[in-house]
Amino acid sequence: MSTRIAIVTDIHHGKPSTAKRGDMALPLMEDFARYVRDGGADLVLDLGDRISDENRDTDLRLEAEVAEAFRAVEAPILHLNGNHDRDHLEVSDNEGILGETLDHGVVDIGGWRIVLWRADTRIRRMPDYSGFVLTEPDVVWLSRTMQASDRPTLVVSHVPISGHSQLGNYYFENNPASSTYPMAERARAALSRAKVPVVCLAGHVHWNTVTTVDGITHLTQQSLTESFTTEGEPAGAMGMIELGDSFRWEVVGDDPFSFETTPRHRRWTPPLPSFADHPEARVRRAAAAAS
């Protein structure tokens, strides 16, 4: 018996901004409610960036309008915050609007564990730095949670941590540092502590991708309202994951995608250092020079 989880991310309700069609967010949320119902989803995951931020008062209104749209969804919903949900609002503001705690969490469903890694998504804007900060409590929580997991685990976050290439991405090809956390390798190391199969799912980067690092599959789902891959029209991306003996993910809309795997607990051999720095290579070069 499989479990079905519907996914929506990067709704970006608000004014059109760059390639984001925020003006279409609420009508597309009506479509998403029908998608959840027709697909028989057992659970819904909202991966964050519900709005395109403007200022505190506007953002409170926009978040409330998205929360109202979610009321039509006929399945339990778990939310994460994105960076746009945090630009002018606190976590507590989002919790009050959504009626849900937005701290880290763990949910067991079917034979799987869902890890809600709600790491800090606020972008710091200071004179000498602008970007995400991967806080130590977030890393420690993830590490301990992965060590304790005793069943196949789906880790969900807003910001991806695979470090995959952003070549071709409208937003991040020339801004790769903003596509993930600094020191994301520490989060990947925390994932590697798991003794069970692991799959990761995130939003933020506005395209559908699959990347495998150290035997762990990392996925990102397209935004509901993004248009840079769909010739100016909103992608209308809505995902459905089926969890069972295998893992199946399908994204519908104008930027469709599908992927299926059988997750296994297999970690890879650690990468070689630079060939120039490898001790054995240095010995061989020295021997060759001496002869």
Side-chain angles (χ1 to χ4, degrees):
M1 184 72 176
S2 63
T3 298
R4 294 173 65 80
I5 302 176
I7 311 294
V8 66
T9 189
D10 297 273
I11 297 166
H12 283 291
H13 173 44
K15 297 175 182 176
S17 174
T18 55
K20 299 184 285 287
R21 289 293 307 275
D23 56 312
M24 294 297 294
L26 295 184
L28 286 168
M29 282 299 295
E30 295 178 5
D31 294 342
F32 180 68
R34 288 190 289 271
Y35 174 74
V36 171
R37 182 186 65 243
D38 295 346
D42 302 295
L43 181 70
V44 171
L45 292 173
D46 155 34
L47 302 186
D49 272 0
R50 289 173 289 279
I51 64 169
S52 290
D53 65 274
E54 294 186 46
N55 54 63
R56 178 172 173 80
D57 288 343
T58 301
D59 292 1
L60 287 169
R61 174 179 59 81
L62 293 173
E63 290 278 2
E65 290 171 352
V66 177
E68 181 62 28
F70 270 114
R71 294 185 193 282
V73 174
E74 298 174 1
I77 306 167
L78 296 171
H79 301 274
L80 286 75
N81 283 329
N83 48 292
H84 288 272
D85 307 312
R86 291 282 286 111
D87 221 4
H88 303 292
L89 302 179
E90 301 298 326
V91 172
S92 58
D93 293 320
N94 285 275
E95 289 177 330
I97 292 168
L98 297 169
E100 172 187 329
T101 181
L102 293 174
D103 198 1
H104 300 305
V106 173
V107 175
D108 290 338
I109 184 167
W112 282 70
R113 175 160 294 169
I114 312 299
V115 171
L116 302 160
W117 190 48
R118 295 181 172 115
D120 187 7
T121 57
R122 184 169 65 87
I123 292 178
R124 272 64 165 183
R125 291 184 171 88
M126 298 178 283
D128 58 346
Y129 180 73
S130 179
F132 294 110
V133 173
L134 184 57
T135 71
E136 201 61 22
D138 289 338
V139 175
V140 171
W141 185 90
L142 182 62
S143 179
R144 291 175 177 170
T145 301
M146 300 312 294
Q147 290 176 59
S149 191
D150 59 0
R151 65 200 68 193
T153 298
L154 172 64
V155 179
V156 294
S157 62
H158 177 69
V159 180
I161 59 171
S162 66
H164 66 285
S165 171
Q166 297 299 314
L167 184 64
N169 188 288
Y170 172 77
Y171 300 96
F172 300 115
E173 176 171 328
N174 297 309
N175 303 283
S178 297
S179 69
T180 189
Y181 289 105
M183 300 189 297
E185 67 276 5
R186 295 198 64 221
R188 294 194 295 271
L191 294 177
S192 72
R193 299 299 187 266
K195 300 177 178 64
V196 295
V198 177
V199 177
C200 297
L201 174 67
H204 182 60
V205 289
H206 291 212
W207 58 1
N208 299 313
T209 68
V210 177
T211 307
T212 304
V213 182
D214 194 20
I216 294 173
T217 300
H218 295 256
L219 314 173
T220 64
Q221 182 169 305
Q222 174 63 286
S223 156
L224 184 69
T225 56
E226 184 52 60
S227 71
F228 87 82
T229 66
T230 49
E231 300 180 325
E233 295 300 317
M238 306 169 195
M240 188 72 73
I241 287 174
E242 293 186 24
L243 299 177
D245 293 335
S246 65
F247 177 101
R248 187 170 191 276
W249 172 51
E250 181 180 25
V251 181
V252 301
D254 288 340
D255 193 2
F257 197 83
S258 64
F259 172 78
E260 185 170 3
T261 187
T262 301
R264 291 181 170 85
H265 174 238
R266 290 178 177 170
R267 301 294 175 259
W268 294 349
T269 303
L272 280 168
S274 163
F275 295 146
D277 297 333
H278 197 289
E280 293 177 16
R282 289 204 301 269
V283 169
R284 287 196 297 270
R285 288 196 300 272
S291 63

